[in-house]
C-alpha cells in the first residue's frame, strides 16, 4: 500500500472518527481517538462529514470503470493480433450501406453496366452515350474513355486475367479491347441482326457468348473472331445470357417472360423457367457457396449437386425475383418487395445473401435461407440498372501445383458498384 503523508493520515483519521461518531459507534470512536492521538471535535458541517462514504463509493465506481476498460482493451488487443486476412474474413457478412464511398461522374447517358477488373482496382462502365469509361474504384478517379461504338453500349466484361475487355452495342458490333496495349480496340465481331444486349467471356476465355434483340444467343471464338454457334429458341428479345462457373450451361433471360438453360456446346435447350408475369431483365447462377442456404429455403436436405449451375435467380419487370432449381425447372421461392422493375442481381460472396437493384432506386439485400428482405439501401436518384461485386483473383491452387476447381480461381472483395439512369456510378466500400 502506498505510504500516506501526515496530512493525508490526519484527513483519513478524522473522516473515520466522523463516520464512527455519526454511526453511534462510541467505543470504537473513543478507542480510535486515543490510539491516533488526533484532536477532533465532531461537526456535521465540517468537510469530514460523509467524506469516508464518498471516497468509498467513488473507489467502487473507479474499480468498475477499470474492469470495463480492461475488458475492452483485451478485446481490442485480440482484434489487433488477428492477421489482416482473418480480419477481412470477420467482415464476411458486409453489405453496402449509405453513403457511398465514391460517386463517379462523367457519362452523358444512362449507365447500362459496370464490371470490375479481376486483379486491379479498375472498374469499367458502359453507357448509352456510346462510350466505355475506365475508373480506379479505390481512389474514385477517372482514368480514360474508350471510343469506338457508334450507339449505346449495353454490356462490358473482363476476361479472367483482366487483359481483355469485351463490349457490345446497339450498333450490332461486339468489340474487344486490350488493357495491356493502351486499351486499343483490337477486334470487332459481327453476326447479330439487331441490338446486342449482353456479352460475356465463357470460363477459359476462348469464347464469348452474346445475347441480342434479334432473339438469338451467339457464341464467338475470341482468337479468330468467327461465329461458332447461333442458339435460337426465345421468341423475343434476349436481354442477357450468362455462363455457369464451369461453362457447361448458359442461362438466358428474355422479353418473352421466360428464362432458358442451354448446352453451349450443342445449342440444345436444357430447360425453361416459366412463372414471371412480365419481361425478364436479368438472370444469374447461384454460386456453390449459396447452395446450403437455398436448400434450407426450399426445405430440402443439404445433399445433391455440388457442382456449379444447380440454381439460378431471375429478375423481372413484374417487380419480383424468383429462385429456381435448374434440374427440375421448379420455382423454389418468389421474392416480392421491389416497387418497380428488377434490373440486376448479384449473389453475396458468403453465399448467405442476394443483392438486387431496381427501378425503385434501391438496392435490396435478401437473406437466402428465409427469403426475407433484410435491408433496403436508398441507392440512386433514378432507376438502378446495374450492380456488381468486386472480383479479385487468387491463384493459390494453381500456385500449389493443384488443379484449380471452377470458381476457386477468384475470391470476391468487399466492394460493390451500382449505376443507372442518373448517369453516376456509386462505389460502396466497408
Amino acid at each position: 500500500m502506498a505510504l500516506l503523508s501526515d496530512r493525508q493520515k490526519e484527513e483519513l483519521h478524522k473522516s473515520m472518527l466522523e463516520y464512527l461518531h455519526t454511526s453511534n459507534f462510541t467505543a470504537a470512536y473513543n478507542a480510535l481517538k486515543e490510539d491516533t492521538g488526533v484532536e477532533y471535535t465532531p461537526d456535521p458541517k465540517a468537510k469530514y462529514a460523509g467524506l469516508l462514504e464518498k471516497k468509498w463509493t467513488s473507489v467502487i465506481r473507479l474499480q468498475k470503470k477499470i474492469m470495463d476498460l480492461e475488458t475492452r482493451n483485451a478485446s481490442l488487443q485480440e482484434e489487433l493480433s488477428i492477421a489482416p486476412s482473418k480480419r477481412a474474413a470477420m467482415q464476411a457478412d458486409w453489405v453496402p450501406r449509405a453513403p457511398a464511398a465514391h460517386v463517379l461522374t462523367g457519362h452523358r447517358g444512362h449507365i447500362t453496366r459496370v464490371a470490375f477488373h479481376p486483379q486491379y482496382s479498375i472498374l469499367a462502365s458502359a453507357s448509352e452515350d456510346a462510350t466505355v469509361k475506365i475508373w480506379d474504384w479505390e481512389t474514385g478517379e477517372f482514368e480514360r474513355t474508350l471510343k469506338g461504338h457508334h450507339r449505346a453500349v449495353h454490356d462490358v466484361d473482363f476476361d479472367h486475367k483482366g487483359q481483355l475487355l469485351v463490349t457490345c452495342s446497339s450498333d450490332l458490333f461486339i468489340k474487344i479491347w486490350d488493357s495491356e496495349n493502351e486499351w486499343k480496340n483490337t477486334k470487332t465481331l459481327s453476326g447479330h441482326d439487331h441490338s446486342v444486349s449482353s456479352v460475356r467471356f465463357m470460363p477459359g476465355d476462348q469464347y464469348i457468348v452474346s445475347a441480342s434483340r434479334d432473339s438469338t444467343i451467339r457464341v464467338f471464338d475470341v482468337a479468330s473472331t468467327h461465329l461458332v454457334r447461333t442458339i435460337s429458341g426465345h421468341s423475343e428479345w434476349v436481354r442477357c445470357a450468362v455462363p455457369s462457373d464451369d461453362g457447361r450451361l448458359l442461362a438466358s433471360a428474355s422479353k418473352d417472360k421466360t428464362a432458358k438453360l442451354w448446352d453451349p456446346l450443342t445449342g440444345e435447350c436444357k430447360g425453361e423457367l416459366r412463372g414471371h408475369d412480365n419481361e425478364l431483365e436479368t438472370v444469374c447462377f447461384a454460386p456453390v457457396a449459396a447452395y446450403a442456404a437455398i436448400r434450407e429455403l426450399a426445405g430440402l436436405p443439404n445433399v445433391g449437386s455440388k457442382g456449379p449451375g444447380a440454381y439460378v435467380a431471375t429478375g423481372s419487370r413484374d417487380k419480383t425475383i424468383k429462385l429456381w432449381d435448374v434440374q427440375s425447372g421448379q420455382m423454389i421461392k418468389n421474392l416480392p418487395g421491389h416497387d418497380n422493375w428488377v434490373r440486376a442481381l448479384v449473389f453475396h460472396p458468403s453465399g448467405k445473401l442476394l443483392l438486387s437493384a431496381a427501378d425503385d432506386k434501391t438496392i435490396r439485400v435478401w437473406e437466402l435461407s428465409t427469403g426475407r428482405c433484410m435491408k433496403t439501401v436508398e441507392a440512386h436518384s433514378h432507376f438502378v440498372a446495374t450492380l456488381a461485386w468486386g472480383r479479385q483473383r487468387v491463384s493459390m491452387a494453381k500456385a500449389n501445383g493443384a488443379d484449380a476447381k471452377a470458381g476457386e480461381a477468384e475470391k470476391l472483395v468487399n466492394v460493390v458498384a451500382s449505376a443507372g439512369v442518373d448517369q453516376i456510378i456509386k462505389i460502396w466500400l466497408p
Side-chain angles (χ1 to χ4, degrees):
M1 187 181 164
L3 292 171
L4 298 172
S5 67
D6 290 344
R7 189 182 61 76
Q8 286 172 321
K9 276 185 194 166
E10 188 181 350
E11 192 173 83
L12 178 64
H13 293 150
K14 286 183 175 176
S15 305
M16 288 164 75
L17 288 166
E18 180 63 46
Y19 171 73
L20 293 169
H21 179 265
T22 319
S23 307
N24 290 322
F25 297 137
T26 316
Y29 171 83
N30 290 329
L32 182 65
K33 198 170 176 182
E34 194 176 319
D35 285 352
T36 56
V38 172
E39 281 301 317
Y40 181 65
T41 312
D43 178 3
K45 287 183 184 164
K47 71 169 184 173
Y48 303 111
L51 189 62
L52 196 66
E53 293 94 321
K54 273 185 213 152
K55 294 228 175 196
W56 178 249
T57 50
S58 66
V59 163
I60 292 170
R61 266 203 315 274
L62 281 168
Q63 202 170 0
K64 186 179 180 307
K65 209 168 189 179
I66 287 164
M67 284 163 77
D68 288 347
L69 285 167
E70 279 175 346
T71 309
R72 173 107 179 101
N73 186 34
S75 79
L76 287 170
Q77 291 283 3
E78 189 184 350
E79 215 171 294
L80 280 172
S81 69
I82 293 171
S85 60
K86 288 187 189 158
R87 243 199 340 270
M90 285 169 76
Q91 285 191 313
D93 290 339
W94 175 82
V95 290
R97 59 174 186 177
H102 300 298
V103 176
L104 315 181
T105 58
H107 277 296
R108 295 181 177 183
H110 303 173
I111 298 164
T112 51
R113 197 81 77 229
V114 289
F116 284 95
H117 191 283
Q119 277 178 294
Y120 308 122
S121 59
I122 291 171
L123 181 83
S125 58
S127 165
E128 288 185 6
D129 64 13
T131 71
V132 172
K133 289 188 187 291
I134 306 296
W135 316 80
D136 183 321
W137 58 258
E138 251 175 358
T139 62
E141 283 171 22
F142 165 74
E143 296 209 341
R144 65 172 68 217
T145 299
L146 310 185
K147 292 179 180 177
H149 284 293
H150 302 297
R151 296 185 66 187
V153 187
H154 296 294
D155 203 358
V156 58
D157 188 39
F158 282 100
D159 69 6
H160 281 72
K161 292 193 192 79
Q163 182 187 344
L164 301 178
L165 181 76
V166 65
T167 58
C168 65
S169 164
S170 289
D171 64 12
L172 312 191
F173 293 114
I174 293 164
K175 287 183 178 288
I176 291 175
W177 315 74
D178 188 343
S179 72
E180 291 174 12
N181 183 16
E182 290 291 301
W183 297 93
K184 285 197 174 102
N185 173 202
T186 52
K187 289 173 183 176
T188 299
L189 298 76
S190 60
H192 282 290
D193 306 323
H194 209 318
S195 186
V196 190
S197 22
S198 100
V199 66
R200 296 294 155 95
F201 279 98
M202 294 285 290
D205 302 328
Q206 269 182 287
Y207 302 99
I208 52 175
V209 59
S210 59
S212 164
R213 197 170 176 172
D214 65 12
S215 307
T216 70
I217 297 158
R218 295 184 193 233
V219 180
F220 294 88
D221 182 288
V222 174
S224 69
T225 72
H226 292 157
L227 173 63
V228 177
R229 189 164 294 102
T230 299
I231 300 173
S232 303
H234 280 294
S235 59
E236 277 273 15
W237 188 343
V238 188
R239 299 274 179 191
C240 70
V242 295
S244 59
D245 280 345
D246 58 4
R248 289 183 185 175
L249 276 179
L250 291 176
S252 59
S254 168
K255 188 181 174 179
D256 66 13
K257 303 182 188 175
T258 71
K260 290 183 192 286
L261 295 139
W262 313 88
D263 181 332
L265 297 176
T266 63
E268 183 193 347
C269 183
K270 291 292 194 182
E272 183 179 82
L273 311 176
R274 281 186 177 272
H276 282 291
D277 300 328
N278 206 331
E279 302 174 22
L280 271 72
E281 285 283 333
T282 185
V283 60
C284 71
F285 281 99
V288 176
Y291 289 9
I294 292 170
R295 285 175 186 144
E296 189 181 331
L297 178 67
L300 297 169
N302 192 19
V303 290
S305 174
K306 301 252 187 329
Y311 304 101
V312 296
T314 53
S316 163
R317 293 188 178 188
D318 66 11
K319 308 176 190 176
T320 71
I321 298 155
K322 294 185 194 294
L323 287 163
W324 308 83
D325 182 316
V326 167
Q327 193 66 42
S328 66
Q330 295 292 309
M331 184 181 75
I332 293 168
K333 188 77 175 175
N334 182 44
L335 306 176
H338 278 294
D339 301 322
N340 211 329
W341 299 357
V342 180
R343 301 282 290 275
L345 297 169
V346 62
F347 281 89
H348 191 284
S350 69
K352 294 176 187 169
L353 309 168
L354 174 69
L355 278 72
S356 58
D359 281 359
D360 60 11
K361 310 172 193 174
T362 69
I363 294 170
R364 286 177 192 249
V365 180
W366 307 83
E367 185 176 50
L368 283 173
S369 59
T370 61
R372 186 173 65 89
C373 176
M374 54 181 285
K375 185 170 188 180
T376 302
V377 182
E378 302 293 335
H380 287 264
S381 61
H382 214 309
F383 304 158
V384 192
T386 178
L387 189 64
W389 200 288
R391 293 160 62 183
Q392 198 103 321
R393 218 161 127 265
V394 183
S395 36
M396 289 307 291
K398 285 175 190 164
N400 296 340
D403 288 335
K405 291 195 189 86
E408 272 185 5
E410 289 188 350
K411 78 177 171 81
L412 291 141
V413 288
N414 284 339
V415 56
V416 167
S418 62
V421 175
D422 60 9
Q423 303 180 13
I424 63 170
I425 301 158
K426 290 198 176 180
I427 305 292
W428 311 84
L429 289 166

